[in-house]
């Protein structure tokens, strides 16, 4: 039961990694003080804790972006502990990260941003659609990719859904001038996929099996499900497009059967 709880809430996995690393480094610092002559500085101990926490997070199965957060968290606190900063600064920073990555706590979907190569490949794929096609981005983030595509295909209709509060506000404000693009504050699980010719997502491994079941039940025959990097377990993609970016990303495409 504990494993299921931690798997559903990756923030708890990150917290577990931080606590384990803190205890281990604390024990090592204590032993060094009791039995040795070497005394590590607090900042050095913090860096060691960060490296250990980041490594443990990877062992626990956290996404790659958590590695940097686990690495920097304690060293950053120690580095800033002597600075004349109000505690509200730390609270504000935490709140900002929370509002931008709300999805990672409940839906296991962190904030991933589609790169320039991804946009261009998506545009190339969309040229094969009828001019008035409909496109939805499940978890659109700040809507950079969605708005870029909407400007490339003015006859098509683009929809983005997002549930991270601050990210949604940013995306909605950016979309106001673009008449063929709408942003909804809506969970991807409540989004009806039947109206879209193309469904795009850049999520995480965790929801892909459930998303496939949803797509099979709602999407029309001949429509496309496109996932950036993450596979549907046990279902080979009908087409793959290598993006050749620094993340070694790829687009995986499934055409809905009749």
């Amino acid at each position: 039961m504990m494993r299921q709880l931690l798997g559903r809430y990756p923030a708890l996995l990150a917290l577990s990694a931080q606590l384990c690393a803190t205890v281990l480094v604390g024990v090592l610092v204590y032993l060094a003080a009791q039995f040795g002559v070497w005394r590590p500085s607090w900042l050095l101990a913090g860096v060691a804790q960060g490296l250990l926490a980041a490594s443990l997070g990877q062992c626990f199965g956290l996404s790659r972006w958590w590695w940097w957060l686990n690495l920097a968290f304690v060293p950053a606190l120690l580095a800033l502990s002597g600075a004349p900063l109000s505690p509200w600064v730390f609270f504000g920073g935490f709140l900002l990260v929370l509002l931008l990555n709300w999805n990672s706590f409940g839906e296991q979907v962190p904030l991933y941003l589609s790169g320039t190569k991804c946009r261009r490949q998506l545009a190339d794929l969309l040229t094969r659609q009828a001019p008035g096609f409909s496109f939805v981005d499940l978890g659109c983030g700040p809507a950079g990719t969605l708005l870029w595509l909407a400007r490339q295909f003015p006859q098509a209709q683009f929809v983005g859904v997002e549930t991270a509060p601050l990210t949604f506000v940013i995306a909605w404000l950016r979309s106001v001038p673009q008449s063929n693009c709408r942003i909804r504050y809506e969970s991807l699980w409540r989004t009806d996929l039947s109206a879209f010719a193309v469904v795009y997502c850049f999520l995480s491994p965790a929801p892909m099996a459930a998303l496939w079941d949803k797509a099979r039940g709602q999407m029309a025959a001949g429509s496309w499900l496109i996932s950036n990097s993450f596979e549907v377990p046990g279902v080979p993609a009908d087409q793959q497009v290598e993006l050749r970016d620094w993340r070694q990303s790829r687009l995986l495409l499934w055409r809905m059967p009749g």
Side-chain angles (χ1 to χ4, degrees), residues 127-168:
T127 57
R128 308 171 195 176
Q129 297 290 320
F133 68 86
S134 55
F135 177 101
V136 64
D137 187 344
L138 302 178
C140 65
T145 294
L146 191 69
L147 288 167
W148 186 86
L149 291 172
R151 289 190 287 268
Q152 306 305 309
F153 299 92
Q155 293 181 299
Q157 295 298 316
F158 291 83
V159 173
V161 299
E162 180 59 54
T163 56
L166 182 56
T167 310
F168 162 76

Side-chain angles (χ1 to χ4, degrees), residues 2 30 45 66 69 91 99 136 164 168 193 196 228 240 244:
M2 180 60 69
Y30 174 79
W66 281 101
L69 184 58
F91 176 76
L99 292 175
V136 64
F168 162 76
L193 305 181
F196 300 101
N228 190 326
Q240 295 188 33
R244 295 183 176 84

Side-chain angles (χ1 to χ4, degrees), residues 5 74 144 226:
L5 179 64
V74 167
I226 304 177

Side-chain angles (χ1 to χ4, degrees), residues 1-23:
M1 182 176 180
M2 180 60 69
R3 181 65 182 175
Q4 293 178 347
L5 179 64
L6 292 176
R8 182 169 177 79
Y9 299 100
L12 293 180
L13 279 175
L15 179 60
S16 300
Q18 290 288 336
L19 292 176
C20 290
T22 300
V23 170

Side-chain angles (χ1 to χ4, degrees), residues 12-238:
L12 293 180
L13 279 175
L15 179 60
S16 300
Q18 290 288 336
L19 292 176
C20 290
T22 300
V23 170
L24 290 173
V25 171
V27 169
L28 291 176
V29 170
Y30 174 79
L31 293 176
Q34 293 296 316
F35 304 105
V37 295
W38 180 61
R39 301 290 188 273
S41 66
W42 284 111
L43 186 56
L44 180 60
V47 170
Q49 190 276 348
L51 287 169
L52 184 56
S55 301
L56 287 173
Q58 292 296 104
C59 292
F60 291 165
L62 288 172
S63 302
R64 285 178 292 179
W65 74 277
W66 281 101
W67 194 92
W68 297 102
L69 184 58
N70 282 326
L71 173 66
F73 183 70
V74 167
L77 288 180
L78 292 173
L80 294 173
S81 61
L85 296 177
S86 167
W88 288 103
V89 173
F90 298 101
F91 176 76
F94 172 78
L95 186 62
L96 180 64
V97 172
L98 179 64
L99 292 175
L100 286 171
N101 291 278
W102 185 262
N103 317 60
S104 66
F105 296 94
E107 298 178 355
Q108 305 179 70
V109 180
L111 177 60
Y112 288 124
L113 301 178
S114 301
T116 301
K117 293 184 178 181
C118 175
R119 296 179 183 182
R120 292 173 179 168
Q121 288 293 343
L122 284 173
D124 181 65
L125 293 168
L126 293 179
T127 57
R128 308 171 195 176
Q129 297 290 320
F133 68 86
S134 55
F135 177 101
V136 64
D137 187 344
L138 302 178
C140 65
T145 294
L146 191 69
L147 288 167
W148 186 86
L149 291 172
R151 289 190 287 268
Q152 306 305 309
F153 299 92
Q155 293 181 299
Q157 295 298 316
F158 291 83
V159 173
V161 299
E162 180 59 54
T163 56
L166 182 56
T167 310
F168 162 76
V169 171
I170 294 171
W172 184 84
L173 289 173
R174 295 180 68 191
S175 71
V176 170
Q178 191 67 36
S179 61
N180 66 330
C181 184
R182 293 178 292 124
I183 307 298
R184 302 175 185 168
Y185 187 74
E186 181 177 83
S187 168
L188 63 92
W189 305 115
R190 294 182 176 274
T191 302
D192 184 1
L193 305 181
S194 62
F196 300 101
V198 181
V199 175
Y200 171 73
C201 62
F202 192 6
L203 301 175
S204 76
M208 291 306 298
L211 178 60
W212 175 250
D213 292 338
K214 178 180 174 66
R216 285 292 306 273
Q218 295 183 354
M219 294 179 66
S223 56
W224 287 93
L225 173 65
I226 304 177
S227 172
N228 190 326
S229 301
F230 300 114
E231 302 176 350
V232 174
V235 184
D238 296 312

